Amino acid sequence: VTGLTRATVSTLVDELLAGGLLAEVEPARRAGAGRPAVGLRLADDGPAGLGLEVNVDYLAAVVVDLAGRERHRFDRHADQRGRRPGAVLDELAELAGLARAAGAADGLRVAGAAVAVPGLVADGVVRLAPQLGWRDVDVRPHLAALGPDLGGGLRVDNEANLAALGELHARLDAGAEPARCGFLYVSGEIGVGAGIVLSGQLHRGARGFGGELGHVTVRPDGPRCSCGARGCLEVYANQEALLRGAGLPAGDDAVGRLVAAARAGRRSARTALAEGGAALGVAAADVVNLLDVDTVVLGGVYAPLARWLAGPIERELAEHVLTAAWAPVSVEASLLGASATVLGAAGSVVRAVRDAPAVWLARSAA
Ligand SMILES: [Zn+2]
């Protein structure tokens, strides 16, 4: 396929084996005469990605290997609102240290880290995270203790963007054609955000602040949102609105209890999901009318609730999208499930190593 000679491929493979990016597996079959073919796979003790997530009601740290498999995960569930950003980030650094040490015990070497935050990010600084009440918080100094050997560096990005990138890579790995791969990734947590992927590319907008679906207006005279405006989507469809509508308390595994209530057919749960789904559908229809995306991907807490949200979303899309009759829009749960954000963050690190292995080899030789 590449047109490279057998000798060139051998040289490259030897380099990747020596650098710990590939491992040999037993030959599955004889390749005719001469040297037997050797099977290769991505090393499961090579470079790894560290994904970190600050969210409104939890912190998470995950280590994934070169194949993108989750190997270690540390979570802490607690409301982060009202805490000092420094205290939150110090606790995140502690989880990161635990994840990293667990990876090291497996022979994994963290090649870089990405931090997902529920807010607007520019140059590593969280400009605004309305639900957390953060303004101009520089995340990097708090995580500097992760070590100067984080050669790939520390990337800070919006949670929905990292999740959308993770979803994009999962779809490409599953065989999607890059030029045709586009979707609106909707991330549901206490904040609601979106990542917009068109023709295999994440679109961040002119200043990098795009995708704030949670603050699209559903009703101009609606209740006040954490951002200060009225009637934003977030007010009607975030995790808290769904739980409140269902008459369920917040707290540990609240979403699991909502799923159970919906599955049991409890009317309050079904109604809350129908109303939240309708609000999501109204907002998503605006995006489809503007950008002609053909798929809405439900991530975060929406992923396990997709069964009940998809119908109401589809009904609103059918009503409000001009082209819906002949260009239907598909509504699907995220391939990465509820953890798409932290997996997408970790995956972005190993993806960079896989895209440019020579950079990693030069760095680890230095
Ligand atoms: Zn708002």
Side-chain angles (χ1 to χ4, degrees):
V1 170
T2 59
L4 298 172
T5 65
R6 191 183 169 94
T8 305
V9 172
S10 282
T11 307
L12 292 173
V13 164
D14 286 346
E15 235 178 280
L16 296 169
L17 282 167
L21 290 164
L22 292 180
E24 288 184 341
V25 293
E26 287 301 308
R29 60 187 166 85
R30 301 275 308 180
R35 207 169 123 184
V38 174
L40 296 167
R41 59 174 170 77
L42 292 167
D44 54 18
D45 57 357
L50 177 60
L52 306 174
E53 182 178 5
V54 176
N55 221 308
V56 181
D57 58 345
Y58 65 89
L59 305 173
V62 157
V63 170
V64 303
D65 60 22
L66 204 48
R69 277 184 306 252
E70 178 182 323
R71 297 284 293 272
H72 296 282
R73 182 189 185 108
F74 294 84
D75 290 295
R76 215 157 274 172
H77 290 266
D79 206 312
Q80 306 299 323
R81 284 170 288 198
R83 292 185 76 194
R84 275 187 311 109
V88 174
L89 291 167
D90 289 346
E91 195 174 347
L92 184 70
E94 193 191 319
L95 292 182
L98 292 171
R100 188 178 196 175
D106 284 354
L108 291 163
R109 210 173 123 199
V110 166
V115 190
V117 290
L120 302 169
V121 180
D123 302 323
V125 177
V126 183
R127 290 292 171 208
L128 179 68
Q131 289 282 4
L132 290 170
W134 289 15
R135 225 172 237 285
D136 297 322
V137 175
D138 192 351
V139 167
R140 290 163 300 187
H142 295 277
L143 299 174
L146 285 177
D149 55 324
L150 266 190
L154 183 72
R155 166 185 184 178
V156 187
D157 204 343
N158 171 269
E159 54 104 15
N161 281 343
L162 286 168
L165 280 174
E167 182 74 23
L168 170 63
H169 294 143
R171 283 172 182 253
L172 296 179
D173 286 348
E177 215 183 295
R180 299 179 61 99
C181 189
F183 51 84
L184 170 69
Y185 178 94
V186 188
S187 167
E189 302 285 348
I190 291 179
V192 174
I196 298 162
V197 173
L198 301 171
S199 308
Q201 297 284 330
L202 176 69
H203 285 255
R204 300 165 175 277
R207 273 78 49 87
F209 299 145
E212 287 301 322
L213 189 73
H215 303 287
V216 163
T217 309
V218 175
R219 279 178 215 142
D221 56 349
R224 192 75 72 183
C225 173
S226 68
C227 74
R230 285 189 179 278
C232 297
L233 171 64
E234 201 162 288
V235 173
Y236 298 102
N238 75 352
Q239 178 185 320
E240 290 178 324
L242 298 178
L243 290 171
R244 198 167 48 241
L248 292 168
D252 276 358
D253 199 30
V255 176
R257 277 180 278 117
L258 179 55
V259 169
R263 193 171 283 142
R266 249 176 64 189
R267 185 184 291 268
S268 57
R270 293 283 182 93
T271 305
L273 291 168
E275 287 173 358
L280 279 168
V282 167
D286 288 347
V287 179
V288 177
N289 275 325
L290 287 170
L291 300 176
D292 184 31
V293 288
D294 60 10
T295 306
V296 174
V297 177
L298 300 177
V301 304
Y302 296 152
L305 296 166
R307 236 178 92 185
W308 299 283
L309 292 170
I313 294 173
E314 281 161 355
R315 271 192 293 282
E316 297 302 327
L317 290 171
E319 182 170 340
H320 297 287
V321 173
L322 199 62
T323 54
W326 69 90
V329 178
S330 148
V331 180
E332 303 165 9
S334 162
L335 294 178
L336 297 175
S339 306
T341 296
V342 73
L343 289 174
S348 71
V349 174
V350 291
R351 177 64 55 164
V353 175
R354 281 164 55 175
D355 285 349
V359 173
W360 164 260
L361 293 176
R363 219 172 62 211
S364 46

